[in-house]
Amino acid sequence: MAIPHAQPLDVISVRPLGEALDQAVSTSLLKTDRLQLLHLVLRAHQDQPQHHVALECSIHCLEGDVEVVMPGGTRRLGPGQLVVLPGGQPHALRARSDSAVLVTLLLDHGDAGDAGGAGAQRLQGSPGGTTAG
């Protein structure tokens, strides 16, 4: 069964979940031929393994405390902070507390590259799974 996605021009809420964060799961919010929005929910001390995507992506911390770990260093993100990664940049995500992030992926004809990025994993708790940012 396909994951229902929002459509262009739909209003999508990405506000902090607050107390509902502990029950939330990661979801793909929107996917077009050129863009995908992922709402990732990470539990404290949960890591997303190192991977990369072909084109640029942004990782925007909506709530919590997340580290973007790269071979050249780590960027720590708190609520309202984001980082833009160049295409091909190896990275992993590490949640220091229960967190939610909005990942924006640029796609090439609906593909993030290398089956969603080399080393990409299915999102935990996501029906059908998608790739992490």
Side-chain angles (χ1 to χ4, degrees):
M1 179 167 144
I3 300 171
H5 289 100
Q7 299 298 311
L9 302 178
D10 286 351
V11 175
I12 302 169
S13 175
V14 292
R15 81 183 92 185
L17 298 171
E19 292 181 12
L21 181 62
D22 65 344
Q23 299 298 317
V25 296
S26 296
T27 57
S28 178
L29 300 174
L30 176 133
K31 186 172 183 184
T32 69
D33 201 39
R34 302 282 300 152
L35 180 73
Q36 185 168 15
L37 300 178
L38 301 170
H39 185 260
L40 300 184
V41 175
L42 303 169
R43 305 292 169 223
H45 311 294
Q46 176 185 358
D47 293 349
Q48 289 289 322
Q50 182 171 294
H51 59 282
H52 71 273
V53 293
L55 302 173
E56 293 89 357
C57 71
S58 70
I59 302 168
H60 179 174
C61 181
L62 302 172
E63 58 191 312
D65 185 359
V66 177
E67 292 178 337
V68 182
V69 181
M70 299 168 284
T74 298
R75 303 293 185 275
R76 193 164 179 174
L77 303 176
Q81 295 180 314
L82 68 85
V83 64
V84 175
L85 303 180
Q89 174 67 55
H91 64 282
L93 298 178
R94 181 183 305 140
R96 301 196 47 96
S97 65
D98 287 350
S99 303
V101 298
L102 176 66
V103 176
T104 303
L105 299 171
L106 297 180
L107 304 178
D108 183 15
H109 302 292
D111 186 11
D114 297 327
Q121 303 292 315
R122 293 169 78 93
L123 295 178
Q124 295 180 350
S126 176
T130 58
T131 56

